[in-house]
Amino acid sequence: VALKRMLNFNVPPVKNSTGEPVWKVLIYDRFGQDIISPLLSVKELRDMGITLHLLLHSDRDAIPDVPAVYFVMPTEENIDRMCQDLRNQLYESYYLNFISAISRSKLEDIANAAIGANAVTQVSKVFDQYLNFITLEDDMFVLCNQNKELVSYRAINRPDITDTEMETIMDTIVDSLFCFFVTLGAIPIIRCSRGTAAEMVAVKLDKKLRENLRDARNSLFTGDTLGAGQFSFQRPLLVLVDRNIDLATPLHHTWTYQALVHDVLDFHLNRVNLEESTGMETSPAGARPKKKNKKSYDLTASDKFWQKHKGRCVFIMIVSILLSKLFSKTQGIEGEDEGAISMLSDNTAKLTSAVSSLPELLEKKRLIDLHTNVATAVLEHIKTRKLDVYFEYEEKIMSKSTLDKSLLDMISDPDAGTPEDKMRLFLIYYISSAQAPSEIDLEQYKKALTDAGCNLAPLNYIKQWKAFAKMASAPTSYGNTTPKPLGLFSRVMNTGSQFVMEGVKNLVLKQQNLPVTRILDNLMEMKSNPETDDYRYFDPKMLRGSDSSVPRNKNPFQEAIVFVVGGGNYIEYQNLIDYIKGKQGKHVLYGCSELFNATQFIKQV
């Protein structure tokens, strides 16, 4: 909504207006591009009058009779380039929108450039948009994509980090969270664990919100903005948690569609990139594989199939694709028959309806083909790496169930998984076990991991982390979550479908709350629990900040935002969504400083 308002020259767009939109040019930097691309397609931009969208630092020609909307970060080089545009008289008028608040000195630089270029009247509006975060779903956001290594798990947990570096990281995170709440139009009640990076974020965010509320003239939480968000009646709860409370979940092999796509494919800002080989090419020199085609697919809110199945077990999703294909085939055959009859009987009404429903049918076919390709690529990984075996084994480890095969056998099996899969499995075992393995056992495991080609650096980190965490608290429990094999799907799967499922277990998930979800449940429902009883409580609306863990608000919350400092993943997001489905009238949003899959995470530890 905020982006659409900005693209409409900061005026709310009028619904059902039949007139032509004002044609304009959109100029953004990489940060702006990352914020816009998951939310607005090129078609939607065109519908809003954007004929051209260009990067700020690209070579741009002058278009003197068109207004330009800028959407950029207020950095030194961006400001210099904007001043250059003013001097070169590139556009008819300039609407300058900054992703984050611009400082007074930089604003003066633009003003001086405008005076020097005699373009003061052409600068129509200058706005701080407070949009420094990326929305990936209606209920999920991530802080940044550019320079994400600056706020990564490794950056926050580096042993040699200085106080000033830590302050800078915390300020970056707080700036984005502040933008998030300005856009939401709500002042949260903040809860956080003690002695972690999450606590530093909470203290700084509380201070920043408090200062803004005190400045009555310039407060961003008064008048129009308040109540404009989705939280208009009751204030939301913000739960700040540290990644270190649960390191096993980001390493876990998963079994839901969206999380699997993110784990095994190149899935980034709602776009998945696939390499498709096109079979063999015959040539005099004999057969040689054709070069691989790279294809990109957008998996967005407008994709109904994705929205319906992304949180489901991958098998249920594949059955749905097969049924959709079957249904579309029968529809197509009936359509042809009826088309022929209607032409014979000159029944034009049926022909008209067939033509009018054609775009919808074509779109359905496009989505089915898209998900067939994506699901086939995912299945290929499951089969070659035996990910079903890993998933089941890890679930048993995390739920303390009995194991049917020794861990050493799993690591030593040359056919099961990549070295990274083996490392992930062992780290989950190491993190989840109440008692660390003895030195003799550990040496055996290390030897097996080295023989399997694993890099032992992550194990050394987790070893130190565990020793430190042991001093702080007991290991996190993951509940009892043993997946159940299912018979029906195997029959559907192995009857001539293109998804060759032989040898893959059909596992159906049992709903179980992960640590982050349990913490949210305790704080949202006001339950007393040793895990969360000493969480700090901040209310930025209170005149004096108090350091207490005693909540003043005794009623359960209807809305909550969970934010993970140090990075999050789709497994946790899906677990929260499944949890809140069972709570009528309640909403939860999930945010994280960066979104990583296990491969990206293991490189950081």
Side-chain angles (χ1 to χ4, degrees), residues 63-98:
I63 313 175
D65 50 352
V66 171
V69 175
Y70 284 74
F71 184 50
V72 295
M73 281 294 253
T75 61
E76 203 70 62
E77 53 178 346
N78 283 354
I79 304 288
D80 290 348
R81 187 60 192 256
M82 289 161 88
C83 295
Q84 194 182 318
D85 288 357
L86 288 170
R87 284 193 288 273
N88 295 343
Q89 304 273 323
L90 285 191
Y91 307 108
E92 175 195 64
S93 54
Y94 302 84
Y95 293 81
L96 309 180
N97 299 282
F98 296 103

Side-chain angles (χ1 to χ4, degrees), residues 353-378:
S353 86
V355 170
S356 64
S357 66
L358 191 63
E360 192 190 335
L361 287 171
L362 285 172
E363 176 60 11
K364 261 188 184 169
K365 183 185 180 319
R366 184 188 73 80
L367 290 179
I368 292 168
D369 290 347
L370 182 161
H371 287 287
T372 304
N373 292 342
V374 173
T376 308
V378 168

Side-chain angles (χ1 to χ4, degrees), residues 153-169:
Y153 176 81
R154 174 179 275 176
I156 297 170
N157 292 282
R158 256 181 36 226
D160 58 344
I161 191 165
T162 64
D163 287 354
T164 27
E165 285 172 328
M166 195 62 166
E167 288 287 318
T168 312
I169 294 171

Side-chain angles (χ1 to χ4, degrees), residues 420-436:
E420 188 185 274
D421 290 326
K422 296 174 195 290
M423 194 68 205
R424 282 163 66 177
L425 173 68
F426 183 70
L427 289 178
I428 288 170
Y429 162 73
Y430 195 88
I431 291 164
S432 305
S433 56
Q435 200 64 46

Side-chain angles (χ1 to χ4, degrees), residues 212 225 233 258 305 456 569:
N212 193 268
T225 55
F233 301 115
Q258 184 178 35
F305 192 92
L456 294 183
N569 53 70

Side-chain angles (χ1 to χ4, degrees), residues 249-516:
T249 301
L251 296 165
H252 189 20
H253 289 88
T254 175
W255 208 237
T256 55
Y257 187 31
Q258 184 178 35
L260 258 171
V261 168
H262 188 232
D263 189 8
V264 301
L265 303 178
D266 176 13
F267 182 51
H268 190 61
L269 295 183
N270 292 353
R271 172 170 289 183
V272 63
N273 299 307
L274 290 184
E275 278 195 350
E276 294 178 347
S277 56
T278 48
M280 292 289 188
E281 188 181 76
T282 47
S283 67
R288 64 163 183 252
K290 269 193 178 179
K291 64 175 187 293
K292 292 186 173 180
N293 289 342
K294 282 209 168 180
K295 277 203 167 176
S296 291
Y297 301 108
D298 288 319
L299 303 175
T300 58
S302 58
D303 181 340
K304 300 280 189 295
F305 192 92
W306 173 247
Q307 288 307 316
K308 187 176 175 186
H309 296 291
K310 65 183 185 188
R312 290 185 168 181
C313 152
V314 71
F315 279 94
I316 296 174
M317 190 279 311
I318 288 167
V319 171
S320 304
I321 294 180
L322 292 171
L323 292 176
S324 306
K325 288 193 113 158
L326 207 62
F327 183 62
S328 63
K329 273 181 187 164
T330 53
Q331 257 190 340
I333 294 160
E334 282 170 20
E336 283 168 31
D337 255 14
E338 285 173 21
I341 296 161
S342 66
M343 285 171 84
L344 285 170
S345 61
D346 201 22
N347 189 345
T348 52
K350 279 187 179 171
L351 197 60
T352 314
S353 86
V355 170
S356 64
S357 66
L358 191 63
E360 192 190 335
L361 287 171
L362 285 172
E363 176 60 11
K364 261 188 184 169
K365 183 185 180 319
R366 184 188 73 80
L367 290 179
I368 292 168
D369 290 347
L370 182 161
H371 287 287
T372 304
N373 292 342
V374 173
T376 308
V378 168
L379 263 177
E380 200 52 46
H381 280 275
I382 292 175
K383 278 162 35 189
T384 53
R385 290 163 57 185
K386 296 193 178 172
L387 297 186
D388 50 333
V389 179
Y390 276 94
F391 166 71
E392 191 180 18
Y393 201 88
E394 286 166 13
E395 288 277 309
K396 283 179 179 171
I397 289 174
M398 289 160 87
S399 61
K400 312 276 190 286
S401 307
T402 47
L403 305 172
D404 47 2
K405 189 177 179 184
S406 87
L407 183 63
L408 213 53
D409 290 348
M410 281 287 288
I411 296 168
S412 309
D413 183 351
D415 299 327
T418 61
E420 188 185 274
D421 290 326
K422 296 174 195 290
M423 194 68 205
R424 282 163 66 177
L425 173 68
F426 183 70
L427 289 178
I428 288 170
Y429 162 73
Y430 195 88
I431 291 164
S432 305
S433 56
Q435 200 64 46
S438 67
E439 278 303 315
I440 301 163
D441 288 350
L442 192 60
E443 282 309 314
Q444 254 189 313
Y445 285 127
K446 276 184 171 179
K447 186 182 181 311
L449 288 165
T450 314
D451 292 347
C454 301
N455 171 13
L456 294 183
L459 174 59
N460 300 331
Y461 175 82
I462 296 289
K463 210 172 159 186
Q464 288 173 329
W465 167 82
K466 183 143 184 169
F468 181 74
K470 205 171 184 180
M471 296 190 298
S473 66
T476 314
S477 126
Y478 293 88
N480 181 21
T481 64
T482 315
K484 292 194 173 104
L486 217 77
L488 162 74
F489 288 137
S490 53
R491 292 209 294 281
V492 178
M493 286 306 169
N494 293 325
T495 48
S497 81
Q498 76 181 88
F499 297 108
V500 184
M501 306 296 289
E502 289 158 68
V504 178
K505 291 186 182 179
N506 305 318
L507 303 166
V508 171
L509 296 166
K510 244 171 74 179
Q511 175 54 29
Q512 196 68 42
N513 291 343
L514 291 172
V516 168

